[in-house]
Amino acid sequence: MSSTRRLFFALALPAPIQRQIVQWRADSFPPDAGRPIVAARLHLTLAFLGEASASTEQTLRRRAGRIRQAGFTLRLDDAGQWLRPGVVWLGCRRAPRGLLQLAELLRAQAARHGCYQSPQPFHPHVTLLRSAIRPVAIPPAGFHWSFPADHFSLYQSLYENGRTRYQLLESWPLAPAP
């Protein structure tokens, strides 16, 4: 049995929005554009922790429970592609300050406890397609989904029988938005 778990903090997308995005993706991209992410795995990663020990996990859970930040409305209204990692994504034209603050706090806590954090700036996004190694046409502006972010969660990434699945471990509320 492994003494570490592959973990990340994220915002879950409400199930109705997950389904709407999956339908939009099917209508907007050809079937060979890349490997689609299933609806239940659509999320916005706040901080990737990688392989974390049980003690690191417990420390980061305690620290997450101490976060007192207001919620915010997340508006997904931008899309793009990163060719090198082969990802087509959905994101925010203007990320809410609360989202950026929450991600920065979680990433800083993770780094202080030995979890590698990419030096790249945080780019809030939801991965839509993987293995998208050829350029794809991004749909024109005009699409958007909005929802109130009132909590964030810790997930474990599990690889079983050739598939990745995410297991929700714990969630913490955000304060009511002002």
Side-chain angles (χ1 to χ4, degrees):
M1 174 140 182
S2 174
S3 61
T4 63
R5 301 201 298 179
R6 191 170 179 82
L7 304 173
F8 60 95
F9 286 106
L11 294 177
L13 276 60
I17 290 178
Q18 289 174 331
R19 290 188 295 273
Q20 291 168 19
I21 289 171
V22 165
Q23 184 60 57
W24 171 81
R25 180 183 64 200
D27 294 342
S28 302
F29 296 96
D32 64 350
R35 192 176 75 244
I37 305 302
V38 298
R41 289 197 342 241
L42 294 176
H43 66 277
L44 191 149
T45 299
L46 297 166
F48 181 70
L49 307 178
E51 296 291 331
S53 69
S55 64
T56 298
E57 177 184 340
Q58 289 308 314
T59 298
L60 292 173
R61 281 183 187 232
R62 279 193 308 275
R63 293 192 179 270
R66 293 182 191 144
I67 291 175
R68 301 294 175 253
Q69 181 175 317
F72 47 87
T73 297
L74 186 62
R75 180 178 169 93
L76 299 172
D77 60 357
D78 193 17
Q81 181 178 20
W82 295 316
L83 280 174
R84 187 178 303 166
V87 168
V88 174
W89 52 266
L90 184 63
C92 312
R93 288 191 189 279
R94 293 188 54 158
R97 183 184 337 226
L99 170 62
L100 300 176
Q101 289 171 334
L102 179 60
E104 179 56 33
L105 180 58
L106 290 167
R107 288 167 51 113
Q109 288 177 355
R112 279 195 297 276
H113 290 89
C115 299
Y116 173 79
Q117 297 299 297
S118 170
Q120 298 294 328
F122 176 64
H123 185 274
H125 69 281
V126 175
T127 299
L128 298 176
L129 298 167
R130 292 198 181 281
S131 302
I133 55 174
R134 289 177 294 174
V136 299
I138 302 300
F143 55 87
H144 73 274
W145 296 269
S146 295
F147 64 93
D150 58 5
H151 70 282
F152 66 100
S153 303
L154 177 66
Y155 292 88
Q156 179 180 7
S157 178
L158 299 160
Y159 188 74
E160 300 171 332
N161 302 321
R163 294 206 176 289
T164 300
R165 72 178 179 87
Y166 302 140
Q167 178 181 0
L168 174 65
L169 299 177
E170 189 169 354
S171 293
W172 296 271
L174 295 170

